[in-house]
Amino acid sequence: MPNEYRVSTANRMRRMATNHLASGLAVLSTILVVAPLVAIFGYLLFKGASSLNLAFFTKTPAPEGATGGGMANAIVGSGILLAVASAIGVPVGIAAGIFLAEFGRGGKLANLVRFTADVLNGVPSIVMGIAMYALIVARQKHYSALAGGVALGIMMIPTITRTSEEMLLMVPHAIREAALGLGVPNWRSVLSITLRTASPGVITGCMLAFARIAGETAPLLFTALGSQFWSVDVNQPIAALPLQIYVYAASPYEDQIRQAWAGALVLIVLIVGAVSLVRYVTTRGVLKGAS
Amino acid sequence: MTVPPADKPSEARTWLTSRGNSSLSDRAFRWLMLLCALSIFGIVALIATSLVQGSKLTLGLFGWKFFLSSGWDPINGNFGALPFIYGTLVTSAVSLVIAVPLAVGVAIFITEMCPKMLRGPLAFLTELLAAIPSVVYGLWGVFVLVPLLRQYVNPALMKTLGWTGLFQGPNLGIGMFAAGVILAIMILPIISSLTREVMIAVPYTQREAVLALGATRWEMIRMGVLRNARIGIVGSVILGLGRALGETMAVTMVIGNSAASISKSLLAPGYSMASVIANEFSEATSDTHTSALIEIGLALFIITILVNALARLLVWAVTRGAPPRVA
């Protein structure tokens, strides 16, 4: 009897020890994950804030080797690229989401579309870049902002499709039935009743997709190409913030590296701002009223 | 109460009928939405055909040998993609070895252990990691991570694990190991958030049943949660792998970009499939060179599609399928 008792105590001790060890490891890994985040943000804030100045927002890049200058053309270029991308990605993405939620519900075709969208989401951005090169740039025989915008727009579609679908599915049936019961045509009911009700969520999805592509560099390398000069022509190569950061990061000049950090800070503030807004909207329960 | 006479339609009805027959516009709307949904197939097909067309030259010239030979010599027109495939596989493997245990640990901590108050902020923090653009990771990697590795981590690794041959040779800081570490940080949030989702999908009765048998918390997690969620966790890891395989900018900035030889040492500079495209494409010297780079892109496209499809199926099997039955 005593012997058995001792064994079970040892067993219990061992189990408790394993329990504590595992808990400790989980806590440790959380710390290890949060650490680089804090390190990246801290360093970025420190480096970026000390490098930002007014010239960064108002001037175009200085000639090679000279100090000063800014990324005004890259900021505007990014804006144009994102506008072109949104013009393609947002309508197509939302429409595909409407199809999945309103017409294709549970059907085989809808499942296949959903699956393809998820797979498309995982295609590396560099592949999107060379595909658009082969498709647009190689045919037009010159780099253009348009090609870059199309590449980014295509990358937005899967994210927007999936979030729009999820948000539309949350709209209660009673609202649709009420609209149809009043004799409103289906298309009108979908657009101004269902979509309107789900709009905070749908906009959230668009912002999320927007934040994702705002920092993309790889698809722009051989489409928008980048430029050192002021340009707003969609048929010409155009500068973009991420591209400029990439070029300046490898620069031998101290001043260009400084501007790379400043650019990174601006980009991060833009993206984190969008993501936080999304988070705020979704946790605030704007949608909860609808469901 | 007076009922309106039947021959006089109500105001609402006249308003509605004045809008005409809606069946045409309804059908048009439906077709338009369907068209947009189908465009997703169109995009995938378009990418595939344009890549195949762009790489026709080398596909015919080298055939399968392209992926098995290691000579990459644009000047003499000799192309073999093996060093890039090797670099991609090695950096992805390193990143998985580092990221998977950490990601699962974080998921366990967030779903099973941490106080409710911390849950939201922690999940948000890991999501923020996913929102940082690749190029910013690269910038941080070049100026912070690489010096850190060169000064502290690599010498320690060389001393303790040098005998394996994985950590040998000149310590440059940049190289496949640095790329693997950056990739690990980048894929962590994906693996961790999906693992969390899968773990949440495990019904509470499973946990309660194991706890009722007198299990400790870790035993409950291991037997009640991880065992039920394992397929989904594997799926999320594969999804992370898919991201790592195609990641471009950060890797290009820290991997060293050298196709000189296939080195066993992780500290040696290397080249990945994505980074060779990013680096050489705009300066391609000949049509064959361009075509060879597009063929690498095609290979990357096919691999990531397969990997992603597999991962999605696994994750869906857990979160979408019938919940695990309580026996």
Side-chain angles (χ1 to χ4, degrees):
Chain A
M1 257 323 239
N3 200 21
E4 261 179 62
Y5 180 70
R6 239 194 331 271
V7 168
S8 78
T9 313
N11 187 26
R12 194 181 141 71
M13 293 289 280
R14 191 177 51 75
R15 286 174 53 205
M16 289 313 265
T18 322
N19 183 31
H20 288 306
L21 183 71
S23 309
L25 283 178
V27 174
L28 183 72
S29 55
T30 309
I31 293 170
L32 278 177
V33 170
V34 175
L37 181 76
V38 173
I40 290 175
F41 270 104
Y43 199 73
L44 199 63
L45 278 178
F46 164 69
K47 272 291 208 181
S50 61
S51 322
L52 264 182
N53 52 24
L54 192 65
F56 181 86
F57 294 104
T58 55
K59 294 220 167 94
T60 53
E64 194 78 354
T67 45
M71 292 194 186
N73 61 336
I75 294 171
V76 172
S78 268
I80 292 174
L81 284 169
L82 291 173
V84 173
S86 305
I88 296 168
V90 171
V92 176
I94 292 180
I98 289 177
F99 173 78
L100 290 181
E102 304 290 325
F103 301 118
R105 225 174 250 209
K108 266 209 181 103
L109 179 65
N111 273 335
L112 201 59
V113 169
R114 212 171 282 134
F115 185 73
T116 315
D118 280 350
V119 170
L120 184 63
N121 208 6
V123 170
S125 52
I126 185 98
V127 171
M128 205 65 89
I130 42 172
M132 287 308 122
Y133 172 89
L135 210 63
I136 301 176
V137 177
R139 279 190 200 159
Q140 281 194 317
K141 307 253 184 272
H142 62 85
Y143 297 100
S144 70
L146 195 65
V150 172
L152 293 182
I154 288 178
M155 295 183 67
M156 284 178 96
I157 293 176
T159 317
I160 297 182
T161 301
R162 298 289 276 121
T163 45
S164 306
E165 183 206 357
E166 261 163 48
M167 294 304 149
L168 287 170
L169 285 178
M170 280 162 75
V171 175
H173 265 301
I175 292 185
R176 292 189 185 96
E177 281 157 9
L180 292 176
L182 286 173
V184 177
N186 195 24
W187 66 272
R188 192 72 198 270
S189 137
V190 168
L191 283 184
S192 40
I193 308 292
T194 323
L195 193 62
R196 173 82 65 86
T197 314
S199 61
V202 173
I203 292 169
T204 300
C206 295
M207 294 283 286
L208 222 52
F210 189 82
R212 236 197 84 194
I213 61 156
E216 281 292 354
T217 319
L220 301 178
L221 283 172
F222 340 110
T223 51
L225 191 69
S227 151
Q228 296 293 312
F229 308 106
W230 188 264
S231 166
V232 288
D233 186 354
V234 288
N235 250 323
Q236 292 300 318
I238 205 167
L241 212 44
L243 276 176
Q244 202 76 347
I245 296 171
Y246 175 59
V247 172
Y248 277 3
S251 158
Y253 303 109
E254 203 56 43
D255 195 57
Q256 297 197 331
I257 294 172
R258 171 187 73 80
Q259 289 191 29
W261 282 108
L265 181 66
V266 171
L267 203 55
I268 283 283
V269 166
L270 186 84
I271 291 169
V272 170
V275 174
S276 310
L277 194 70
V278 164
R279 182 89 184 169
Y280 179 78
V281 169
T282 45
T283 52
R284 261 296 130 128
V286 175
L287 280 174
K288 271 181 203 141
S291 56
Chain B
M1 247 172 104
T2 51
V3 180
D7 57 343
K8 211 173 155 208
S10 72
E11 229 172 291
R13 171 150 296 196
T14 36
W15 184 79
L16 278 170
T17 43
S18 72
R19 303 275 140 162
N21 190 348
S22 66
S23 79
L24 185 69
S25 50
D26 262 354
R27 220 175 305 156
F29 181 69
R30 198 194 160 113
W31 279 105
L32 190 66
M33 298 299 115
L34 177 65
L35 195 72
C36 285
L38 292 180
S39 74
I40 293 177
F41 298 125
I43 289 166
V44 173
L46 212 60
I47 294 173
T49 48
S50 64
L51 289 178
V52 169
Q53 232 159 38
S55 59
K56 225 190 274 164
L57 197 59
T58 41
L59 277 174
L61 217 53
F62 301 110
W64 286 108
K65 265 209 333 241
F66 182 75
F67 298 106
L68 300 172
S69 77
S70 66
W72 183 266
D73 187 358
I75 296 160
N76 295 319
N78 201 8
F79 297 100
L82 197 61
F84 314 125
I85 295 171
Y86 175 78
T88 297
L89 291 180
V90 169
T91 48
S92 303
V94 170
S95 71
L96 284 185
V97 166
I98 299 172
V100 171
L102 286 177
V104 175
V106 171
I108 289 177
F109 182 76
I110 293 181
T111 53
E112 309 291 333
M113 295 164 61
C114 90
K116 261 219 173 94
M117 225 175 61
L118 270 177
R119 199 168 288 179
L122 270 180
F124 181 55
L125 274 179
T126 42
E127 268 170 42
L128 271 190
L129 267 180
I132 299 176
S134 178
V135 70
V136 175
Y137 274 114
L139 192 66
W140 182 78
V142 170
F143 291 104
V144 181
L145 183 70
V146 165
L148 207 71
L149 288 176
R150 185 170 48 219
Q151 244 175 336
Y152 304 105
V153 181
N154 288 354
L157 283 172
M158 284 161 95
K159 212 177 272 173
T160 51
L161 293 169
W163 53 271
T164 54
L166 293 177
F167 299 96
Q168 275 179 342
N171 174 15
L172 302 170
I174 54 171
M176 292 190 282
F177 183 65
V181 173
I182 277 274
L183 278 178
I185 299 175
M186 298 180 72
I187 63 172
L188 241 164
I190 304 161
I191 302 181
S192 156
S193 67
L194 274 168
T195 302
R196 216 166 60 220
E197 226 168 82
V198 173
M199 284 171 68
I200 290 172
V202 174
Y204 261 88
T205 44
Q206 293 279 330
R207 297 180 173 85
E208 283 157 8
V210 180
L211 281 179
L213 291 174
T216 62
R217 185 160 60 180
W218 164 244
E219 286 162 344
M220 178 271 283
I221 293 169
R222 185 167 57 88
M223 297 192 268
V225 182
L226 291 183
R227 186 167 296 174
N228 284 320
R230 62 178 185 262
I231 296 175
I233 294 176
V234 170
S236 66
V237 169
I238 296 176
L239 214 55
L241 173 69
R243 206 34 74 83
L245 288 173
E247 191 43 65
T248 315
M249 302 319 295
V251 173
T252 309
M253 290 163 90
V254 299
I255 199 172
N257 298 332
S258 141
S261 62
I262 292 176
S263 167
K264 189 185 166 196
S265 170
L266 296 178
L267 299 182
Y271 229 148
S272 80
M273 292 164 84
S275 63
V276 72
I277 301 174
N279 238 350
E280 294 190 0
F281 196 79
S282 42
E283 284 139 28
T285 46
S286 62
D287 284 350
T288 335
H289 194 182
T290 309
S291 163
L293 289 170
I294 294 182
E295 187 172 349
I296 292 177
L298 178 65
L300 207 52
F301 178 68
I302 294 170
I303 293 170
T304 46
I305 279 211
L306 290 180
V307 166
N308 272 294
L310 181 66
R312 286 294 169 192
L313 289 176
L314 288 176
V315 172
W316 279 14
V318 176
T319 53
R320 291 226 157 192
R325 203 157 296 155
V326 189

